[in-house]
Amino acid sequence: KLNADSLVNNNWIKDNGRTNSFVYDENIFAAYFNMSKTFKKTSVQAGVRAEQTNNTGNSVTLNRTDRRNYLDFFPSLFISREMNDNNQLNFSYTRRISRPGYQSLNPFVNYLDPYTYFVGNPYLKPSYTNSFEIKHGFRQFLFTSLGYMHATDVEINVIRQDKTTGVTTNSSANAGYSDALRLDITASIPVTKWWSSDNSIGVSYNKDYSKI
């Protein structure tokens, strides 16, 4: 809650144009299922998490209430295999959610200065990320990992300027998607019996697409 007063004729009075009262309530109900199994040299762990999200954004100042209810499922899978005495291979997959902060959902216009405004977006959606990773270990000495991540409805800051008034408005919105690919190689080199050197190199590629 933000209360703003203005000095008028040497008296402080409430400034309704800058006073902001926003009440945000969010409840998340979750259920989990997980199982694991070992087949000779291969271990498998799989699970899924269900989340029911109920939220209400009440802008008391604007006399506006926005409600949202949605159900999501987040599977996960982990596979580990001992190829031989020297090589181990791991695979993982996860799906995650990133919910917007409550202030980004507040539809009230916040005046930072006469030419800069910030307004929340009550229609802002959560972002979902699917991640895949393959890891290889050789003799506990050389480790290689290759990961790929795909995210949808990524939250970005959108800046719009009115050409007539020069006023700039900042708001949050959901972009298209984001892709990331990364390769990491780590080598642990023994120098003495009590000292080892860890050396790593990483290469990454990122692609962001916006439809705003």
Side-chain angles (χ1 to χ4, degrees), residues 90-93 131-135 145-148 184:
N90 296 278
F91 169 81
S92 66
Y93 162 73
S131 301
F132 303 83
E133 187 177 41
I134 297 177
K135 292 182 178 181
S145 66
L146 178 64
Y148 170 70
D184 291 293

Side-chain angles (χ1 to χ4, degrees), residues 80-125:
S80 176
R81 178 171 176 80
E82 296 285 346
M83 308 297 292
N84 49 49
D85 293 339
N86 296 325
N87 295 276
Q88 184 182 54
L89 195 63
N90 296 278
F91 169 81
S92 66
Y93 162 73
T94 57
R95 183 173 188 259
R96 293 187 173 91
I97 184 174
S98 178
R99 296 179 175 85
Y102 79 94
Q103 193 58 46
S104 298
L105 301 168
N106 186 356
F108 184 80
V109 179
N110 185 17
Y111 300 90
L112 303 181
D113 59 56
Y115 295 98
T116 308
Y117 301 166
F118 176 84
V119 57
N121 179 6
Y123 303 107
L124 196 62
K125 297 183 293 184

Side-chain angles (χ1 to χ4, degrees), residues 32-80:
Y32 303 83
F33 172 78
N34 190 72
M35 63 173 293
S36 60
K37 184 69 175 179
T38 300
F39 306 91
K40 294 183 179 180
K41 294 184 178 181
T42 302
S43 298
V44 179
Q45 180 179 330
V48 63
R49 184 177 78 258
E51 290 188 358
Q52 173 66 42
T53 303
N54 304 325
N55 59 44
T56 302
N58 180 18
S59 177
V60 180
T61 305
L62 302 179
N63 192 27
R64 170 178 176 171
T65 301
D66 295 282
R67 294 183 175 87
R68 186 177 300 171
N69 304 300
Y70 52 92
L71 174 65
D72 287 313
F73 295 92
F74 304 95
S76 62
L77 176 64
F78 303 91
I79 302 175
S80 176

Side-chain angles (χ1 to χ4, degrees), residues 5 27 140 156 194 199 208:
D5 295 330
N27 295 286
Q140 299 299 313
I156 63 171
W194 53 270
N199 305 273
D208 299 309

